[in-house]
Amino acid sequence: MKSFVNVNPKSLDEAVAVLDRARAQGKKAALAGGGSDLLGMLKDHLVQPDLVVNLKSISGLEGVHREGERVRIGALTTLDEIARHPLLVERYAALAQAAGLAASPQIRNVGTLGGNVNQRPWCHYFRQGFPCFKNGGKMCYAVAGENQFHALFGGGPAFIVHPSDTAPALVALEAEFKVMGPSGAKIIPAEKYFILPREDVLRENVLGENEILAEVILPAAPSGLRSTYLKIRDRQAWDHAIVSIGAALEWEGGRCRKARLVLGGVAPIPWRVPNAERLLEGKSLGEALARQVAEAALAGAQPLAKNGYKVPLAKATVRRAVLSLLPAA
Amino acid sequence: MASEMRSIGKPTPRIDARERVTGQARYTGDVQLPGMLYARVLRSPYPHARIVRIDVSKAKAMPGVHAILTKENCRIQWSSGDSRNKRLLFNDPVRFVGDAVAAVAASDRHTAEEALQQIVMEYEELPFVLDMEQALAPGAPEIHPGGNLSPNNEGERAPETDQRGDVERGFAEADQVFEDVYISKHHNNAQMEPRVSVAQWEGSRLTVWASTQGISNCRRDLAKDLGLPLNQVRVICQYMGGGFGNKNQCHDFDLMASALAKETGRPVKLEFTRAEDFVAVHGRWPTKQYYKVGVKKDGSLTAIRMKAYSGMGPYRKGSGGVAGAQLYRCPNVKTEVYPVYTNMAVSANYRAPSYPQGVFGIESLMDHIAHTLGINPLDFRLKNMTEKYHDEVPYSSYGLRDCVTRGAEALGWRQKWHPPASDRGAQKQGVGMAMGYFGAGLGMSSAVLKLNPDGSLQVHVAVTDIGTAAKTTMGLLGAEAMEIPFERVSVLSGDTDRAPYSVGESGSRTTNYTGYAVVTAAEDLKRQLRELAAQSWSVAADAVQYSQGAVYMQDRPDRRTAIAEILKGNPDGLIAQATTDPKLKGVSRNSFAAHFVELEVDTETGDIRILKYVAAHDSGRILNPLTAGSQVKGGVAQGVSMALREELLYDQMTGIPLNPGYYGARIVTHGDVPDVEVIFVETADPYGPYGAKSVGEPPIVPSVAAIANAVFNATGIRIKELPITRSKILDAAPGVRLEGGRA
């Protein structure tokens, strides 16, 4: 790896100032949370920062905190803690399940929520250092290449899929992200946080070079909320989702009051499927409706040469997820 | 005889288990020497290119950089890197992405790595070819002069051919003829310990700490390639972390470390990254197998013809064989294998190199034939399985039929087998089976045994123990032969300066070769003890008997004299050496196996869940059931991974491999591997020590085919191209009716 300067800021404000100064000087900075992915990317020369800002030196960025009916989760909270946290397991199951299914036990012990949300793509071409769009180049090699793991929706010019497990769950749970920047804190709804390659092919989210994701805020869990995260993966540990879904349904009197269905592994961002959500709202759920919802969720999918199998796979995933959320009779 | 066994046949933990799990074991990567430099290798980013300019001046000027080797200042030939062509450490043209072009030694690893970035290496790209059949087509880029069909042992450009009977006559006699194509992919050995070597010169004497499967051969090759007498080369490997066939002989990194150490006058450590390990060394050769099989209505075979292509990458390190057809009794058989050069990663030995891919082909096809003829696949095999090698040479011991029947019983085959895709609903269960065999002969190795005056025994052997527990086995054999407790035996291994020649841990033959030498040397020690006693008792040697660490007069078995007593006044104890080279007489010697799998396929998600796995093996007498069982379980894990997951993907446009490493290759994890019920069908082989045959490689042989056949039985989908991925299941699934049976 290229030599870099390690910075240990004591506060978020200091960290932001460091980032801001680096940007003004034309230097590249990288944020280190758990570092489980950053270290590999440094070694593979995929990122070559002049300085690494170590967020672990800032206190108060960890932990799950109740605040009234809301829950605040520090960006440095480990995936393992989220997966086991009783409040999250009980009220925000989709998030706890997503965190518990991410990566491997070792990575969950050090990997953070912020790192998982902001994770760079795991496209083979990107990770092998091809001069692709994501690496600052001028083409997406997957289009005519090995695209079995690539996007069905929202592709172009890059066809990566967003690698995060927690992101679809957070969008489904209507979480908000607290981002610290030079002008203070701002709150961004999870759904607005992620951006498509056609908006900016070098980034997967709105986070600026001088901004830090500090906290994730979960709104009060409405009555009748049931949520889940279902992940299809090739092996039982250390695998990104081939296809996944964060699903949150609110039930009232046996009918679905509100639905949020967000697919993972099919698009460059967590992919919400509003047409499928609307089919559920106001209805009681059965096998036939679940199939219609699944069809609607995948309507408009544009498979590449080798990822057509994801269409029936995602349909099955959607159907099973929503059926698993049927309220107790 | 079995009742007399003291050490053999009992589950014995590894002799070095404590050292390994407590971190005391010093692996090659742990070796640190004063003043040691660290080396890194620059590799070609192109699959086929000529080097037009090299400029190392900027890299060489970097502080901490001690030496840089390229083709311009290093012409060392890596002789075991290619058995057909002259392969240098640094080749021009480069012939695959990952071909080495430079090596740097620096004060630390990061400096070495930064120096690589500063080396200017300009290339002129050449056309390349990845596909084996395309490589043989007219006009294909020539990877070596003379074309892309790799020459056979006689230097002829001809396929490797094996033939008996007349296949055309066989097809004419058949009631039905089946033709099919099966494809397997390149995948990596993926052993835990990456490639690493530490080289140190003391005067004109070279010591290499290697990570090798055979210190003797590594020493031989180093001496040959560096032009040194054998007594000037020492190779040490006390503990090694696996290889599965890709650490045989000496490797380019051993030679590079040695050359850099020579150049700098300092010890040099060269360690590959995981990604380098996956692309720059070798994996299993991919194959494309065309079959034509003739059968009678009653299911008997009249002819088997196979024409297969094996992709060897650009250098010929392995045989390229495609084994499997020998499983079946058949009067007319012809197999032709074309080993082909391509610009993919090099292919060579990986656990049972020729077998699992060939057995996947033949056992899938036989399963298909049984299904088509309406014969239960178990009965089809019981009817047609081999009983003599090539239908004429008897086996030295034969347990295949028992493997099949006992394995079937343990799985519950008769209760569980059903016509394909019988289950209603999306989750479909099925069972599959496949047979396997593995041919490991006998051969030459040496052992030196030292019996100390206190009666303890030292076994000096050149084994390295690549995970097979070979050190433990050598100790057990010494203990058994000397009839003393295992705790009284120590094994001194892994150092060419203190052990005689051993063939190396490849070909599943350490027990047969080196173990045989241990037993033979022990017989000599017992003879020496009897003679010493006879001298001191002034009787004829044949009047003295030995048992359990003591000698006695034949007619007075109650008056025993212990070894320590006999060796009193003999401070050096006794030394015996044996070099054995037993030959098979009129027999063929094989290990056998039959694997049985029950699994469930989710036809909506493509998930495959193994519910039960039975592995029945004839490996002769089992010397250590604990470690032999581990061999079977490990082989099954690799088989599951090969069947369902692994493939080194290539970008076809650039010829660059896309997914090297544990993550990208999606190698199975603990959570993906089933519990394996291991059955040993213990035949007593007359050739192996105490009746043993090979157990190391056979476990991966039938595994892939058994899983593929179970997928067929569950779903009615016959996947003919490995790996059996989710996408292949789902692409075929629309043809499967959820109510059961094919649409």
Side-chain angles (χ1 to χ4, degrees), chain A residues 1 3 45 122 124-125 128 130 141 146 149 232-236 238-240 309 313 319-320, chain B residues 113-114 117 427 602 604-605 645 650-651 653-654 656 658 660 662-663 666-667 671-672 726-727:
Chain A
M1 66 180 84
S3 299
H45 300 271
W122 277 86
H124 291 320
Y125 290 98
Q128 287 300 306
F130 276 69
Y141 288 81
E146 297 299 313
F149 301 118
I232 304 294
R233 51 183 177 169
D234 275 351
R235 47 182 199 177
Q236 294 304 304
W238 201 22
D239 214 355
H240 289 86
Y309 73 96
L313 178 60
R319 196 184 85 239
R320 289 179 188 190
Chain B
E113 207 154 295
E114 283 196 45
Q117 316 279 317
Q427 287 82 25
D602 188 328
E604 290 181 340
T605 64
R645 299 276 181 270
Y650 271 80
D651 179 58
M653 190 170 67
T654 59
I656 297 174
L658 293 174
Y662 283 157
Y663 169 78
R666 289 192 154 84
I667 290 169
D672 305 300
R726 186 188 304 283
S727 65

Side-chain angles (χ1 to χ4, degrees), chain B residues 529-539 551 561 565-566:
Chain B
L529 281 170
R530 288 202 311 271
E531 282 178 0
L532 274 178
Q535 270 173 29
S536 73
W537 299 340
S538 303
V539 298
V551 288
T561 307
E565 184 65 26
I566 297 289

Side-chain angles (χ1 to χ4, degrees), chain B residues 13-305:
Chain B
R14 286 161 198 265
I15 207 167
D16 56 2
R18 183 174 295 273
E19 290 86 335
R20 285 189 192 261
V21 299
T22 56
Q24 290 172 60
R26 195 162 86 141
Y27 289 84
T28 308
D30 298 325
V31 172
Q32 299 288 347
L33 301 173
M36 189 172 79
L37 302 174
Y38 296 80
R40 299 281 287 123
V41 177
L42 185 66
R43 299 183 178 281
S44 167
Y46 299 109
H48 199 192
R50 215 174 289 287
I51 297 172
V52 292
R53 189 169 80 93
I54 300 176
D55 183 357
V56 300
S57 55
K58 214 172 147 195
K60 198 143 195 194
M62 286 175 60
V65 172
H66 287 250
I68 300 176
L69 299 180
T70 68
K71 64 156 189 158
E72 290 181 343
N73 60 351
C74 176
R75 303 296 295 168
I76 294 171
Q77 184 180 355
W78 174 22
S79 58
S80 56
D82 192 328
S83 58
R84 303 292 191 272
N85 304 283
K86 188 174 176 183
R87 181 178 183 182
L88 305 178
L89 287 187
F90 308 102
N91 293 284
D92 181 15
V94 291
R95 298 183 179 91
F96 70 103
V97 171
D99 218 347
V101 294
V104 174
S107 50
D108 64 85
R109 191 184 166 119
H110 297 296
T111 305
E113 207 154 295
E114 283 196 45
L116 296 184
Q117 316 279 317
Q118 302 300 328
I119 295 174
V120 177
M121 194 67 67
E122 279 177 24
Y123 300 90
E124 175 198 334
E125 287 185 65
L126 299 170
F128 67 92
V129 61
L130 302 177
D131 180 83
M132 325 176 238
E133 283 174 296
Q134 284 173 19
L136 290 183
E142 253 189 27
I143 297 168
H144 293 284
N148 294 333
L149 176 58
S150 181
N152 63 19
N153 283 331
E154 285 71 47
E156 300 157 347
R157 303 270 173 175
E160 309 277 356
T161 304
D162 188 20
Q163 190 169 355
R164 64 181 192 271
D166 176 352
V167 286
E168 293 311 323
R169 198 181 63 214
F171 292 128
E173 289 168 0
D175 292 322
Q176 207 169 340
V177 172
F178 292 83
E179 289 187 76
D180 229 328
V181 187
Y182 288 87
I183 295 170
S184 70
K185 298 297 177 66
H186 177 103
H187 60 117
N188 192 262
N189 299 38
Q191 80 296 334
M192 265 215 277
E193 182 190 34
R195 245 134 276 277
V196 54
S197 190
V198 181
Q200 180 180 39
W201 292 83
E202 290 156 301
S204 59
R205 191 154 204 265
L206 172 67
T207 300
V208 174
W209 286 262
S211 166
T212 178
Q213 296 183 217
I215 54 172
S216 304
N217 293 340
C218 185
R219 180 175 82 135
R220 179 198 64 201
D221 294 349
L222 277 166
K224 178 180 171 193
D225 292 344
L226 298 174
L228 297 167
L230 280 167
N231 65 356
Q232 295 296 302
V233 183
R234 178 185 184 189
V235 175
I236 300 172
C237 180
Q238 301 283 4
Y239 295 91
M240 76 93 73
F244 305 110
N246 69 6
K247 289 179 181 169
N248 299 342
Q249 294 115 17
C250 128
H251 268 270
D252 56 350
F253 51 94
D254 299 314
L255 291 162
M256 287 178 196
S258 302
L260 286 167
K262 181 93 178 170
E263 182 87 6
T264 59
R266 307 260 292 259
V268 171
K269 177 187 280 187
L270 173 53
E271 192 169 14
F272 284 5
T273 64
R274 182 66 64 191
E276 283 181 291
D277 220 280
F278 265 65
V279 299
V281 185
H282 75 240
R284 186 183 300 282
W285 49 84
T287 65
K288 188 166 186 184
Q289 310 161 28
Y290 292 86
Y291 288 98
K292 188 175 176 185
V293 173
V295 284
K296 293 278 200 191
K297 284 197 194 83
D298 68 356
S300 52
L301 300 167
T302 62
I304 301 173
R305 188 186 190 291

